[in-house]
């Protein structure tokens, strides 16, 4: 089943033989633009990511953007993005996203 997730991205949802959703582990690299520095973005991203059992990292970039890698269940990653976008202080005007290779040894989400 291919659906649009609301973020101009197509995702594939797979179901097992029992009809239960199968959510594979994936890793994304994001770059966020907007009011994303000096507003608690990294703290919030880390808190939400850990709450959703994601691994990865988030850091401020010299150009004012925020760079983030997130690994975990696809639905948990996109829920993290949704929650970041709904924060009253953070304003994400635009972001880029690309799929990366999964890092099996990673155990935490760092800022």
């Amino acid at each position: 089943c291919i659906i649009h997730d609301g973020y101009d991205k197509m995702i594939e949802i797979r179901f097992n033989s029992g009809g239960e959703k199968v959510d594979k582990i994936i890793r994304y690299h994001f770059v966020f633009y907007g009011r994303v520095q000096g507003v608690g973005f990294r703290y919030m991203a880390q808190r939400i990511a850990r709450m959703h059992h994601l691994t990865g990292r988030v850091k401020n970039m010299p150009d004012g953007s925020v760079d983030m890698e997130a690994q975990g269940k696809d639905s948990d990653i996109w829920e993290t993005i949704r929650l970041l976008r709904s924060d009253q202080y953070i304003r994400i005007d635009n972001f880029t996203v690309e799929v990366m290779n999964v890092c099996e040894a990673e155990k935490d989400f760092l800022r």
Side-chain angles (χ1 to χ4, degrees), residues 28-79:
Y28 291 110
H29 174 240
F30 295 93
V31 180
F32 298 98
Y33 302 92
R35 190 176 63 224
V36 293
Q37 288 192 18
V39 291
F41 187 103
R42 292 179 305 135
Y43 169 80
M44 182 69 76
Q46 183 184 48
R47 186 175 69 76
I48 295 168
R50 285 179 172 172
M51 185 172 63
H52 286 94
H53 309 289
L54 303 180
T55 63
R57 55 126 186 105
V58 61
K59 66 180 181 177
N60 288 338
M61 302 305 289
D63 67 357
S65 65
V66 172
D67 189 272
M68 183 173 88
E69 291 181 16
Q71 176 174 294
K73 291 181 180 178
D74 196 56
S75 60
D76 289 337
I77 294 172
W78 290 103
E79 177 63 7

Side-chain angles (χ1 to χ4, degrees), residues 75-93:
S75 60
D76 289 337
I77 294 172
W78 290 103
E79 177 63 7
T80 298
I81 303 305
R82 187 191 71 75
L83 290 169
L84 285 169
R85 291 186 81 167
S86 70
D87 184 85
Q88 65 180 342
Y89 301 108
I90 296 167
R91 189 188 75 238
I92 299 171
D93 294 333

Side-chain angles (χ1 to χ4, degrees), residues 9-26:
K9 179 178 102 44
M10 300 297 282
I11 61 173
E12 180 178 358
I13 298 179
R14 297 180 185 186
F15 297 89
N16 66 17
S17 60
E20 298 166 324
K21 183 178 169 186
V22 175
D23 210 355
K24 68 178 182 172
I25 301 299
I26 193 162

